[in-house]
Amino acid sequence: MDIQVLDDNPLYKGETYRLKFRFSKQYPIEAPEVVFVQDPTHPIPLHPHVYSNGYICLDLLDRAGWSPVQNVESVCMSLQSMLTGNSKGERPPGDEEFVRRNKLRPRDVTWLFHDNTV
Amino acid sequence: MDTTFEIPDPSDWLSTALPEIAPLESSLRCQVCKDFFDTPMMTSCSHTFCSLCIRKCLSSDGKCPACRSGDQASKLRQNWAVQEAVDAFTASRKTMMNMARRQSTQDTLNCPAEDEIQGRRGIKRKRDIGMSRDDEGADRRQTRSQSRRNPQHTSIPIGSGEPITIPDSEDSDYTPEPAMPRSSESTNTPDMLVPCPICGKRMKEEYVFSHLDNCTAPTDTHGALTTNTASMSRPTKNQPANTVARTLNSPRDLALQPIAQLNYSLLKDSAFRTKLSELGIPNWGPRQLLIRRHTEWVNIYNANCDSSRPRLKKDLLRELDVWERTQGGQSLRGTAGSNSDVSKKDFDKDVWRDKNKSQFESLVADARERAMKAKTSREALDKEKDGHDALDSRAVIADSQSPEEMEDTDAQRSPSYPENRNLNAHSAETSGLEQNHLSLMEETSQAEGDSIKKPPLLDLPHEPVADVEQTETSI
């Protein structure tokens, strides 16, 4: 699934990002696993909640934040709004360390949702 | 038309002449499964979902999926109005879609005559659907025609007078969908007669009620009686409620009572298993699987209790079986690893393998060593039985050795596992122990026979395992 940020946010203008959805058998009771994937034409967006390996820190995708009424469309929309509301062109703190050390899949990572501003 | 393999979706309407139907259709769909509501239930926060969907959600995290307020399955209430709307909509969807598509392919300048023909065609098709859908819906037909005939007649001339506004007028005509299919039936019946809901005899509408008082040909006593009382007590208006009363009565009369949820932590293992067999569902497997299975069964069963068209228990058991094979079986594998931090849902093969590589290796070595010992001490029969136990435990260990091996053993085991159990249950019911003892004897004598030649290690454990549990269940 490709998404674009349609407004004029200079960070993401003209870019297209590719998302990978992985659905468990319990979907939609359980959240799908959603990550950005990188290839020559699709970079990973620069965002304080997106790690450089494509992992996304978003409460919607966590077990606690997920709700069965969500779907692919609503997830994409949330991600778009997450990107467009952002003005900081940076990676999350500890990005390198996390990417290097982490072997867990996104759903097994314990996310801490501390920042409600973005 | 040729939409056999097409999955209907609200977006289908967007390309037709009636894009306004799309939101209507989405509102008739469950937000969880995205399908049309199946036995819609209302939560205490006034959201509506399929019975099975909301029960699954509540049993998994106890919150309303839409607003996250807490709720309990026991507080759910049926939303019959929505059920009616869905039934009517799905029954007429195809016809409406065909009309809307044809309309969009035509030019904007379509002549009124053609429109009228289309309308008639649609009506006829709907009548067919209505007829085949429920034959005993006669009371609805008869009464609908009285209350709804006029709008039906007037709407067409209005539409044909102003060709450009036709889509809109048709749209507004369609939105109160429940009226359409039934109203058309008796209006199009040339003799203007309606059938008696009990004996099916056709007569003028005025005579039906007096006829009902002394109609003596009840073909289906139960259904006839309820329809009879329903139509008597609610004349002409409130038709949706009328049908609801009928459909509502039947499941209640059949005494389909919802099963209570259990407090799993308070139940001992054996009591739990007895409980499951009382419910008529499989009671084998590790405790965690039992819990999951029971939860699933309660959901399926209670959703069926809510339904206006309850299915047989046989069908429900089949559904549970499908669940067992697609989702339930997973938990077996997860718990077979039997390490407390490997909870089923979160199990990740690769990480687990990396993390526990050394342990796996030592376990494998250990198991090999023991297997060698077991092989050397297989001469005597009793020793051989010990060997079985050892092998058995070995197989369990093998499960936890590495994910790949886990899958192997699972693959070997899973086909025979449930079968064994089924066979067990069956034979326990019918011929009791006898058969088993026979098979056991056979087995042991065979084993004696070829004690020189080693049987494959992972093959043998099936029988002894089955036998041990056989004795448990039959006693």
Side-chain angles (χ1 to χ4, degrees), chain B residues 276-457:
Chain B
L276 290 187
S277 59
E278 273 169 20
L279 291 172
I281 59 176
N283 66 350
W284 51 271
R287 186 179 175 85
Q288 212 180 341
L289 176 60
L290 294 184
I291 292 177
R292 279 162 47 87
R293 188 189 293 130
H294 185 262
T295 314
E296 184 72 14
W297 176 248
V298 169
N299 288 340
I300 295 177
Y301 190 89
N302 290 354
N304 189 49
C305 293
D306 300 330
S307 172
S308 57
R309 296 175 283 264
R311 294 171 297 162
L312 294 174
K313 193 174 175 184
K314 202 173 57 179
D315 299 331
L316 301 183
L317 282 171
R318 202 175 303 135
E319 196 174 314
L320 184 72
D321 189 48
V322 169
W323 171 85
E324 193 91 55
R325 273 179 281 135
T326 53
Q327 302 190 17
Q330 285 188 326
S331 89
L332 186 65
R333 189 190 295 176
T335 47
S338 76
N339 235 322
S340 52
D341 56 343
V342 191
S343 70
K344 168 76 235 95
K345 269 203 292 198
D346 312 328
F347 190 71
D348 187 340
K349 271 196 217 172
D350 301 333
V351 177
W352 183 252
R353 186 175 46 203
D354 287 354
K355 217 165 80 183
N356 297 304
K357 207 172 178 196
S358 59
Q359 279 189 45
F360 287 146
E361 277 165 0
S362 71
L363 277 172
V364 169
D366 199 27
R368 287 211 175 109
E369 202 176 303
R370 241 187 302 168
M372 289 301 286
K373 270 187 205 162
K375 276 181 191 174
T376 52
S377 64
R378 284 179 93 247
E379 255 70 282
L381 179 61
D382 51 350
K383 274 187 187 171
E384 204 231 327
K385 275 196 172 174
D386 284 349
H388 277 313
D389 289 349
L391 286 179
D392 185 24
S393 58
R394 225 191 62 85
V396 174
I397 292 167
D399 271 353
S400 62
Q401 275 171 8
S402 82
E404 279 80 10
E405 281 185 44
M406 252 170 72
E407 268 171 314
D408 288 346
T409 46
D410 268 359
Q412 285 197 344
R413 202 189 263 195
S414 52
S416 58
Y417 218 32
E419 270 171 35
N420 274 348
R421 309 303 170 133
N422 286 345
L423 197 111
N424 286 347
H426 180 68
S427 59
E429 275 170 25
T430 54
S431 61
L433 281 169
E434 205 175 29
Q435 210 180 343
N436 285 305
H437 277 304
L438 277 178
S439 66
L440 177 68
M441 304 250 286
E442 256 175 37
E443 183 58 34
T444 46
S445 62
Q446 260 182 17
E448 262 180 311
D450 59 19
S451 60
I452 318 141
K453 202 178 115 190
K454 306 285 183 308
L457 287 181

Side-chain angles (χ1 to χ4, degrees), chain A residues 25-30 63-71 103-105 107-108, chain B residues 31-32 34 49 53 56-57 60 65-66 68 326-327 330 345-348 351 354:
Chain A
K25 283 184 181 159
Q26 276 80 29
Y27 179 83
I29 305 291
E30 263 179 29
R63 216 161 297 138
W66 172 257
S67 150
V69 299
Q70 309 288 1
N71 53 30
K103 287 179 187 166
L104 294 170
R105 284 175 38 191
R107 60 170 182 190
D108 300 328
Chain B
Q31 285 181 289
V32 173
K34 279 84 180 173
F49 305 95
C53 295
K56 278 181 178 167
C57 294
S60 87
R68 295 183 202 283
T326 53
Q327 302 190 17
Q330 285 188 326
K345 269 203 292 198
D346 312 328
F347 190 71
D348 187 340
V351 177
D354 287 354

Side-chain angles (χ1 to χ4, degrees), chain B residues 110 192 429:
Chain B
N110 42 7
M192 300 299 280
E429 275 170 25

Side-chain angles (χ1 to χ4, degrees), chain B residues 99 102 111-123 156:
Chain B
M99 284 174 67
R102 225 174 303 146
C111 61
E114 241 178 359
D115 240 10
E116 217 166 339
I117 291 163
Q118 275 183 13
R120 288 231 186 89
R121 252 188 235 147
I123 284 162
I156 291 176

